[in-house]
Amino acid sequence: MEISALTRSVVKSNHAVISPDGYINSNVPGWTDCTVNVIINEQMGARLCQTLITLNKDGKLKGATKASQIFFYIVKGQCTATVNGEEKALTQGHFVYVPINTSYLFDEPEQGTQILTFHKVYEKLDDYDIPAVLFGDAATVEGPSYLGDPALRLQVLLPADLSFDMAVNIFTYDSGGHLPMVETHIMEHGLMYLQGQGVYMLDHQWYPIKKGDSIWMAPYCQQWFTAMGKEPAVYIYYKNVNRFPT
Ligand code: UGY
Ligand code: MN
């Protein structure tokens, strides 16, 4: 028998592990006939927001970005996205970057379609324009080995262009593959596991992690991961980039 007083989720001052067993739904104006789980947010001390949306067949996400840009990624299922009047059919692995002050509509979903979002307040650079809307498909993004280790592959979904102040990458680890060192860095992360399992070290504590789990890592939260099990471990993650340290 499962014991409902136990969870793998933890929320600390510089990191959090959120497993789906503790989700409580939020209502978001304009996002209808869907469940919304706000997984990472400034309420926990983060400077990004990460949500997971599960759409019913008549579900719709209608809105307009303001100060925050939003990256939408189709975790499973399919829908139609209309951004600034441009319409595209999206399926698993497709994504769309919606810059600030831009209207969007996601509709006509298959029942149970899941969309992951990363939101960040945009910091404009004087000499660079705000990025344009960008549609993409992770399946067509190359995944070179990471730091020369063939067990690790990194796909960079957004352009390496100073107009962007956020990166979204997909990191794939073959079973037994691990980060080559404990990372200690100013950038913050939000992530969600798309496949597999392993053990994450966060601030010198070790957590078993699997598909569906999310992690928040504050700046300077020390981090390391090793993949375990019979299939590669895959996570999609956010990172703030390209701006002066203040
Ligand atoms: O880009 C990164 O900092 C990445 N290597 N970190 C991580 O996966 N925890
Ligand atoms: Mn990192």
Side-chain angles (χ1 to χ4, degrees):
M1 186 177 69
E2 285 186 24
I3 297 180
S4 64
L6 291 177
T7 179
R8 289 181 301 104
S9 297
V10 296
V11 181
K12 308 262 188 191
S13 61
N14 70 349
H15 67 273
V17 174
I18 306 290
S19 66
D21 57 13
Y23 282 172
I24 294 291
N25 301 336
S26 292
N27 281 327
V28 175
W31 295 6
T32 53
D33 209 350
C34 59
T35 57
V36 181
N37 299 113
V38 181
I39 296 171
I40 300 172
N41 188 262
E42 63 189 11
Q43 302 301 324
M44 71 208 301
R47 273 173 274 181
L48 76 136
C49 174
Q50 176 179 325
T51 78
L52 181 66
I53 305 145
T54 307
L55 291 150
N56 295 324
K57 158 171 93 32
D58 294 321
K60 277 188 184 25
L61 311 181
K62 185 172 165 45
T65 55
K66 296 189 174 71
S68 286
Q69 58 206 316
I70 310 180
F71 180 95
F72 295 83
Y73 178 85
I74 311 299
V75 174
K76 70 171 193 192
Q78 58 182 56
C79 65
T80 302
T82 310
V83 186
N84 253 355
E86 191 181 353
E87 185 181 307
K88 291 227 190 284
L90 304 183
T91 59
Q92 186 175 329
H94 289 181
F95 59 87
V96 54
Y97 167 83
V98 181
I100 55 171
N101 300 320
T102 302
S103 61
Y104 63 81
L105 172 68
F106 293 77
D107 63 359
E108 300 172 340
E110 182 182 289
Q111 172 68 31
T113 293
Q114 284 196 315
I115 303 180
L116 179 74
T117 65
F118 294 115
H119 313 217
K120 179 190 182 293
V121 173
Y122 182 65
E123 299 163 72
K124 190 177 178 313
L125 283 184
D126 287 346
D127 298 336
Y128 289 82
D129 290 335
I130 295 165
V133 176
L134 185 98
F135 285 93
D137 176 4
T140 65
V141 177
E142 279 183 42
S145 68
Y146 182 68
L147 298 179
D149 183 343
L152 312 181
R153 291 172 297 284
L154 191 71
Q155 295 171 277
V156 175
L157 304 187
L158 291 175
D161 166 339
L162 287 182
S163 65
F164 285 89
D165 66 353
M166 69 191 271
V168 179
N169 305 332
I170 295 180
F171 212 157
T172 300
Y173 298 66
D174 288 337
S175 191
H178 56 83
L179 279 176
M181 72 277 200
V182 174
E183 295 184 6
T184 307
H185 58 63
I186 188 172
M187 295 76 91
E188 182 177 20
H189 292 313
L191 67 77
M192 194 177 92
Y193 273 77
L194 302 173
Q195 181 183 295
Q197 60 175 291
V199 175
Y200 230 109
M201 189 283 280
L202 301 165
D203 194 15
H204 298 275
Q205 291 156 78
W206 278 261
Y207 300 100
I209 300 291
K210 65 173 187 173
K211 178 181 175 179
D213 292 344
S214 292
I215 298 178
W216 168 57
M217 297 172 224
Y220 293 105
C221 174
Q222 292 181 288
Q223 55 203 254
W224 179 88
F225 174 69
T226 189
M228 293 165 26
K230 297 206 174 357
E231 58 178 355
V234 182
Y235 58 79
I236 181 167
Y237 72 99
Y238 157 98
K239 181 174 185 173
N240 54 311
V241 292
N242 294 338
R243 293 297 179 266
F244 291 105
T246 49

